[in-house]
Amino acid sequence: MSFYTYLLANGPYGTLYCGHTDDLASRVWKHKEKTYRGFMAKYDVVRLAGYEVHEEREYAFRRERQMQEVESSLEDQAH
């Protein structure tokens, strides 16, 4: 079984969302259908910007956390 770390965007230079899943196609479809409320619906973050494949769920989860830390660091530098 494969696990994925994925990055969604609402457009070029826009808002990003990072997550992980074991079913990438289903997860992206759910985001596009706005099945998930809150952040995703508010910012319309539905375009798949990229993904990575991992052999274990723990690796996908760790990579998601790393990407979120980088994103947070970049946001801090912008302010």
Side-chain angles (χ1 to χ4, degrees):
M1 176 177 248
S2 294
F3 301 93
Y4 305 89
T5 302
Y6 63 94
L7 191 62
L8 298 175
N10 68 350
Y13 307 105
T15 302
L16 298 174
Y17 175 85
C18 181
H20 74 278
T21 185
D22 60 359
D23 187 348
L24 185 60
S26 174
R27 183 61 58 95
V28 171
W29 181 84
K30 287 178 181 179
H31 286 302
K32 287 186 178 193
E33 292 297 312
K34 295 185 176 44
T35 302
Y36 303 114
R37 297 176 190 243
F39 181 87
M40 303 304 297
K42 181 177 179 180
Y43 293 100
D44 196 34
V45 183
V46 298
R47 295 179 183 165
L48 183 63
Y51 67 94
E52 297 175 346
V53 182
H54 304 277
E55 292 181 8
E56 296 184 28
R57 183 181 305 276
E58 181 64 25
Y59 297 151
F61 176 75
R62 286 183 191 169
R63 182 64 173 137
E64 174 188 358
R65 294 295 176 229
Q66 287 176 340
M67 293 169 74
Q68 289 172 344
E69 288 174 11
V70 168
E71 182 181 2
S72 177
S73 175
L74 292 173
E75 287 175 355
D76 290 344
Q77 291 176 10
H79 295 276

